[in-house]
Amino acid sequence: PGRFEWSFYDRLVEVARTNGITVYALVSGFPQWSKGYTSEGVDQYAAFLRQVVARYKDRIKQWEVWNEPNIFFWQGPKELYAECLIKSYKAIKETDPAAEVLGISTAGIDFKFIEQMLAKATPFDVLTIHPYRTTMDDTAFIADLKKVSDLVRMPDGKRRPVWLTEMGWATHVPHHVLRQDFEPNSQRAQAEYLARTYLCSIVSGVEPRTFWYDFRNDGDDPVYFEHQMGIVTRDLRPKPACLVFATLT
């Protein structure tokens, strides 16, 4: 408590800026010494947000409050996440009024959870979602984005942006026994999914920004989906999806 180690993040942000990369910051997790999933723990989290936003406010303008609180990443009551988002919004805006607060951040498009948060009057500037799916039905995907955008309209009818802060397909090898959260795809299929995801999100008209998960393979295990989500391999060889991404750009 009261001691901050910024060196790793200072270097990371500087490397990003040097290479023309804009950072949005995801702040997720309680320090081990905090009170965790309590109102006091939420106050400690918001106090940290004040510190981190003050440090980076000249370089980072978007702050996401937690990762996928509708599933196991949030271990407390859902109502407590609403309290966390309310207090975090206040802390961020008071420290940097020009900052944008990204909130709710659901695994999938969890309409029920989003409605729960809206019922608690949670403030946020941008809705963030992780709309992973097993197969890509373009028409259904566009309809889902429009539906969730309508759900989070401002009281005056103005649309809030909806950002896809995680979206991707894995290229792992099928396993004869092991069941995983993601279905295996060929590298060609991943490339096609990437193009369709970005084009559909643009066509939907919900002011999206789409963040592919992820850029580089997390490891070298050919049968583990988490190691095969990248558009480049672990040794930075481009998959077809990388060439498609470059073409789209």
Side-chain angles (χ1 to χ4, degrees), residues 22-242:
T22 301
V23 174
Y24 92 80
L26 164 60
V27 184
S28 186
F30 292 110
Q32 290 185 349
W33 52 262
S34 80
K35 298 295 183 180
Y37 292 98
T38 65
S39 288
E40 186 177 351
V42 167
D43 288 339
Q44 291 167 327
Y45 176 89
F48 172 69
L49 275 175
R50 291 182 186 274
Q51 296 287 336
V52 71
V53 173
R55 186 170 187 86
Y56 296 110
K57 66 180 182 180
D58 60 330
R59 290 160 284 175
I60 298 176
K61 290 297 183 184
Q62 288 86 22
W63 300 90
E64 188 171 35
V65 179
W66 218 270
N67 175 64
E68 299 184 347
N70 61 319
I71 60 171
F72 59 84
F73 289 104
W74 179 266
Q75 295 290 317
K78 302 306 183 189
E79 296 78 10
L80 190 64
Y81 175 72
E83 180 182 337
C84 183
L85 184 52
I86 290 167
K87 290 180 175 178
S88 297
Y89 187 93
K90 184 173 186 288
I92 293 167
K93 291 292 189 176
E94 287 180 353
T95 308
D96 181 11
E100 289 183 299
V101 179
L102 284 53
I104 302 183
S105 187
T106 59
I109 307 180
D110 190 336
F111 294 100
K112 182 179 178 181
F113 181 80
I114 295 167
E115 288 172 344
Q116 279 183 280
M117 295 303 105
L118 293 174
K120 296 288 184 182
T122 52
F124 56 94
D125 301 311
V126 179
L127 174 71
T128 59
I129 54 174
H130 302 165
Y132 293 110
R133 47 202 61 214
T134 304
T135 58
M136 182 65 168
D137 179 326
D138 296 13
T139 303
F141 182 54
I142 292 169
D144 282 348
L145 295 180
K146 289 181 176 179
K147 179 180 175 181
V148 78
S149 177
D150 287 338
L151 181 62
V152 297
R153 282 181 185 269
M154 299 293 288
D156 63 2
K158 182 182 177 182
R159 285 191 184 274
R160 271 187 270 223
V162 177
W163 290 10
L164 287 56
T165 47
E166 276 188 38
M167 185 63 166
W169 275 269
T171 59
H172 57 295
V173 177
H175 193 277
H176 69 292
V177 173
L178 184 64
R179 286 195 167 191
Q180 302 189 65
D181 292 339
F182 281 65
E183 295 294 322
N185 296 282
S186 68
Q187 291 193 6
R188 179 186 176 91
Q190 183 197 44
E192 292 173 350
Y193 281 141
L194 185 147
R196 289 161 62 189
T197 296
Y198 276 85
L199 293 172
C200 287
S201 67
I202 293 167
V203 167
S204 73
V206 302
E207 299 183 57
R209 294 188 186 182
T210 301
F211 298 78
W212 193 259
Y213 186 87
D214 51 7
F215 174 66
R216 182 189 186 192
N217 278 356
D218 287 347
D220 293 315
D221 187 339
V223 301
Y224 181 37
F225 80 93
E226 282 279 15
H227 281 192
Q228 302 295 326
M229 298 287 288
I231 61 173
V232 302
T233 62
R234 192 68 188 159
D235 59 0
L236 302 178
R237 288 177 290 118
K239 299 180 187 179
C242 186

